[in-house]
Structure formats: C-alpha cells, structure tokens
Amino acid sequence: MAQNGLDMDIQFLPGVGPKRSALLKKELSVGTVGELLRLYPFRYIDRSSYVRIADARPDMAYIQLKAKVIRIDLHGNSSVADAPADGPVRFNTVKRISVWVSDGSGEMEMVFFKGIKWMYEKLKPGQEYIFFGKPTGFNGRVNIVHPEIDPQTGQDSNQGAVTSMTGVYPSTEKLKNGGVTTKVMNRLLEAALNKGLEYIEESLPEYVIRQYGLVPIHFALRNIHFPKDMQSLEKSRYRLKFEELFYLQLSLLKQKYIRSRAEQGIPMPKVGDAFNRCYEALPFPLTGAQKRVIKEIRDDMKSGHQMNRLLQGDVGSGKTMVAVLTALIAIGNGYQTCIMAPTEVLAQQHFRNIQKFLEPTGVRSALLTGSSKTAERREIHAGLEDGSIGVIVGTHALIEDNVIFRNLGLAIIDEQHRFGVEQRSKLWRKSTCGAPPHVLVMTATPIPRTLAMTLYGDLDVSVIDELPPGRKPVQTIHATEGKRPALYRFMKEQIAAGRQVFVVYPLINETEKLDYQSLEAGAEDIMQKFPFPQYKTAVVHGKQLNDVKKFNMDAFAAGRADILVATSVIEVGVDVPNASVMVIESAERFGLSQLHQLRGRVGRGSEKSFCVLMTGQKMSKESRRRIELMCATENGFELAEEDMKMRGPGDLEGTQQSGLPISLNIASLAKDGLILNAARSAAEAILSEDPILHDNRNLILRKELTKDKYQVRDYSKIS
Ligand code: ADP
Ligand code: MG
C-alpha cells in the first residue's frame, strides 16, 4: 500500500513488530513513519555525563549512572530469599529483585518487578553497566525502579547520534512495560529518518522561511531527533514551534477574514442621543482604557460587519460601564440589546447597576429571570415584542422560546464560559433583523494574552488594563488556624468601624472525609463568636431556595448584616462597596483565578481593604506557591500568567470547556509567547495580502490548512 516511506506502517521498522506498533498506535497515536518523525522529544539527556550515586536525589529527573553490580537479592516468599545464590531459582515465586550497584561514591538499589528472570540472568556481579532512569525516594534511600540498562562496551551503540545528546520521547507505563524504552525509540527514529526524511516536503513557503530566518524542515527534523550541537537543536526547535503556532494562528485568522468579508452585520453608524445623554451624566470621567475599548467597539458596530468581540477586564475595571454605553449605541440606531448573566444574583446586580446609568436616557429596561412572576413576565414579553423595552437583562430565561424581540441588534454576554454552547446558539437565532446581532462577550477571568490569541484567535479581543482611579490596594494576608482568635478580633474592629466582612468556604458539606471546615460548622462558629443581636450574620449557599438566598444576600448588600458567610457563589457578582474584609477559608483548595475573583469583591469602597487567606499548616508545593503569589500581587494578568505556567493552559480555569483548537506537539503557550507573537504577525501579514491564500506562493499554506486538525470549531458561532 505504501506509496512512499512516510506512509509506511511503523511495524515494518526494525525492532517494532505488530505488538509494539499496536502499542505505539494506541498510546501515542503514532502509526506511520511520517507520524513518528513528527513525534518530538520533550527533553534531552546528555549520554556522556554520569551522576555520582552519592549525588543522586529523588527530585532529579532522569539520570544516568555508570556502576558495577555488587549483588542481586531475590525477594519473594522466605524460602526463595533464603535459597543459596547458586542454587536453582524458582522464578515464579520471586516477586521482585534488588540489584545493588556501586560506583565508588556510594551504593544504590535498582528494583525490578518485571522481567526478573531475564535481568537476573543478564546482569553479572562484578561487571559495569550504564543505568538510566528516574530516581525515587524509598525508606529514606534513593533507588531506581526498572532502569534502562546498557552494557558498558565503550562503543557508541547509537549510530544516529552525532553528539551525546539523546532525545527522550513521551511515554506511558504501558509503553515502558511493552519494552518501548528510550533506547528503542532512538533506534526507531533513526530508522524512520533513513526511510522517510527524503519524502518530507517543505511545509512552509520558501519566502516565509527566508523572511523569518528559519531552518529548512529536513534540517529541523534531523536535529530535533539527533541534535548535531546545541545551536542546531535550538534552531530546529524554533522552526518547529514557529510552524506549529503559525498554522494554528493562520487557521484561526483565516476564518476570521472569511467571516468578516462574508458575514453581514447590522450597520450602526450613529452614536445617538441616548449614548450622549448617559455620557454627559456620568459621575466620573471614563478611564483611558474604557475610552479606547468603546472606540474599538464603535468601529466594529458601524463597519457593516458583525462584531464578535471579547472584552477582558479585571474585576472592578469598569466593564459594566462599557456594556451600558455599547447597549446605548445599539439603542441609538433603533435596536434592542440583551444582557445575559450566568446567575440570578449577577443578573439582578447588573440590572441595578445599569438602571442608574440608564436613568438620564429615558430608555426602558427590564429584568427577566427564572423567578420573574407570571404577570410581570407577560408584560416584559410584550415590551420586547413591541420594542418598548430597549435593554433586557436576564439569565437563561431570556432564551426561552416564547421570548420574542422586535429587533435584537446586540447581545452582551457576561462570563461566557458559564453558558453552554446550545444556549448561546439559541440566543443567536433570536435575531430577526436579517443579520446576526453584534456580540460582546465580557469576562473577568484574566486570560493571558498568548492564550486569548489562541482560544479566541477568531474573535477580536479588547482589554481594559487600567482600574478606575482612587482604588485602594487590598492587603492580602496568609494565616493558619492558630491566628483565628486574632482574625476574629480584627473582624470585630472592622465591624465596629462600620464595615462588613465576607467569609467564604469552598464546600457546603463535608462530602468527603476531609478535614476542611464546612460552611455549616464555620457559620455556627461565627454565630457563636459574633452573637446576635450585637452582630448580624447572613448565610448564603447553593442549597438554599432562591428566595432565601436573595433575602440573605440583600440583607448583606443593604448593610443589615455585618458578616456574610457564603460558598463561592458570591464569586460572580455582589458589589458591596462597604465590605472591607474578605476571609477565604481553606484557601489552599481554591485555584488562583478563583482566589483573585473573590478578592476582587473587596477594595471597591473608599476604605482600606483586606483579604485573609486561611489555610491548614500542611500544603502542597503548588498551594503554597498560589498563596504566596496572591500575597505578592494584585495584578490579575500576572496571576493568570503564573497560573498557566504552573498548571499548563489546558487546566486554566474558565478555559476547560473551550480547550485548545488543536493540540500542540512542541510549542508551549506558557513559554513561547515571543514565538507566538512572531507567528501571529506572520500569519496576519500573509492574510492581509492574500486572505483566501490563492497566490501560488501560498499553495503550501492552502494545502496544509485542508488537513483535518485545522478544521476547528468556529468560536464566534457559539459565543
Ligand atoms: P467590572 O464589571 O469590570 O467588575 P464595574 O463595571 O462593576 O467593574 O465597576 C466597578 C466599580 O467602578 C463600579 O462601582 C463603577 O461604578 C466604578 N467605575 C466604573 N468606571 C469608573 C471610572 N471610569 N471612574 C470611576 N469609577 C468607575
Ligand atoms: Mg461586573
């Protein structure tokens, strides 16, 4: 079947066979020589350098030792262990062998649970071998389980390698057990290069390679697997990362170009009276960032193309203001706006905030949620249908089938990641104007720029990167249980000074047998230490009925309660400028971005505010790092960048749903921001000259983008 070396099944490579090839296919999705060549090492080891046993530590990555076998111990039932070393060994009763080795600096145990007979017979006491593996700590000593072993022959068995640097490839437990070791992988890649490399065609146009100073694909593939020297490796890495990010951006941007040409939007050329009246009545001047973003939005709306814009801004950066002014542009052009929020609490809050800005404009607004009464609901439906309601704020209730708009021209979606795909597209279909409504998605989850570019590569991104003036920084403090009496004294001082306090718990019930304090136990403790009627405590959690929740929330918002004990439901909303203290219990259980969102609930008033992170004494390294970061910075983007570095982009909060459009083999969004920028500008430059890639010199690009992996979802259609 194979037309050329690239399509050849890897089972025909020396040392593979049907069993290992099935394993490689299953574990790494590598089935052909061509696919194998595009499986890159994730690190390299220097085969010429050895670690001294005395220096080996369990936290080291893969190490290489040169050591002599001293003795081999058999472990199984006692009769085996006691058997003389030269007697016949019944291997079926042996559970594990320990191979003790020494390099003069110390001794180390190599442990085998599998392949026992083979190892026992192969390894000769008194002989020197090279051992390669990941050290682990066991009973206060360092050992290596299932190391790879080379006889110390003095020859370089790896003929493909020009240097002593050897690639280490992604692996799994099953691959290791199936004998697919680093050494086997190296031999496979050597064979794959011999069979396949000549058939690999250059995957970037000549002029792109020249313009960006890249090395050719053959050079890159040879050196990524078997680096000639450090410099060649670096150049090869750069080229392959660039290529990967370039095609990712090209595919996203191309969709955007195509859509902006094809997709008609509702032209909204005017600013309108409503906008101007609101603007003139503002109690404060807009920040520079707010002005810039409004201009970007305005340009979109008058362009005649549909707006698809993501508005990012830290908690408290003034997104609501931008949303209101955007809505008023739509109104000024004769269209309705809907503002969708993920929760009822948040919808109410938006509605309250928006009303005060709408007042001077005379625009009629309404709130529609699941708990709107029937009569009220009927009235709102009528107002939307006849167009007398200009701005509707609400939750999912807005997308019910019986909600009909007269002319919906703009949809503003807050915290988009909490909306399902299905719901978004339903909203989309509510447009009755012939063209889809403009879409503005607002998020307070600070997504690092590199990630936003990739996740929303086909959306335009606006960032409010400036907080309104006069904001007091929030002092963040880390405390453990021993400090609780001091914390309570501090809370009492703040309450005596007229302020309010949030206390947030990660759990409602102790569902698992973990020693986290549950909200219920915590609330009880608070009510005991802060007795009624001197202190008033409101409790809010997800299991309460909506009415109860609203009643308690309102009590706190209106200042009738001093303390709000809550689960993280308050994360997405509540503006209580008088609250000056945010206590987060079991803070080690929260992710960075969640902690940051919670902290953003205080520091909104004129008083100095505090965030207290309560944790247990014992924390994982990552938890400790998160707490340290929170105490060190208030900048959401800095935190998001750090978060991404710590956890990898796939895990970043708020992005799990969307995931990456394609998986990256070699580039990292966290680490390769500069290459990403270069790749993105390259893609932009090419598309601005040749949006549909029909130039001959872009033939390679056109061909590459037809591959399956670039048939990505169109994010604009679902947001
Ligand atoms: P976000 O929605 O981004 O979290 P908000 O829009 O709720 O932020 O704004 C937070 C607070 O800052 C609100 O009380 C709002 O009235 C106020 N605010 C917004 N813009 C400005 C500004 N330019 N100057 C002063 N205060 C502002
Ligand atoms: Mg807001």
Side-chain angles (χ1 to χ4, degrees), residues 499-501 536-538 552 554-564:
R499 319 270 177 270
Q500 292 165 278
V501 179
K536 294 168 198 74
T537 301
N552 290 332
D554 285 350
F556 187 70
R560 291 193 298 275
D562 310 299
I563 302 173
L564 180 71

Side-chain angles (χ1 to χ4, degrees), residues 581-644:
V581 183
M582 167 64 68
V583 179
I584 305 177
E585 297 284 350
S586 303
E588 69 268 38
R589 297 250 292 148
F590 289 96
L592 257 186
S593 102
Q594 221 180 350
L595 288 172
H596 179 65
Q597 297 285 308
L598 286 169
R599 178 169 60 184
R601 299 294 125 210
V602 294
R604 306 188 142 216
S606 49
E607 302 305 323
K608 179 162 173 51
S609 297
F610 304 86
C611 175
V612 182
L613 305 173
M614 296 296 288
T615 72
Q617 289 287 356
K618 277 200 192 145
M619 276 189 278
S620 69
K621 234 163 82 182
E622 291 84 54
S623 299
R624 194 168 292 282
R625 176 95 185 109
R626 281 202 296 272
I627 302 293
E628 281 168 8
L629 280 167
M630 280 292 293
C631 294
T633 181
E634 261 199 86
N635 183 318
F637 283 85
E638 236 169 77
L639 288 170
E641 292 282 355
E642 285 298 327
D643 204 19
M644 190 161 91

Side-chain angles (χ1 to χ4, degrees), residues 156-198:
D156 193 346
S157 65
N158 193 350
Q159 281 146 25
V162 192
T163 58
S164 50
M165 270 196 298
T166 304
V168 181
Y169 293 83
S171 186
T172 65
E173 211 46 49
K174 282 190 185 138
L175 280 169
K176 277 183 203 140
N177 293 339
V180 184
T181 59
T182 306
K183 225 166 68 189
V184 167
M185 285 304 287
N186 283 304
R187 244 185 266 132
L188 279 182
L189 260 307
E190 192 187 328
L193 281 169
N194 287 336
K195 292 258 189 274
L197 191 61
E198 62 177 303

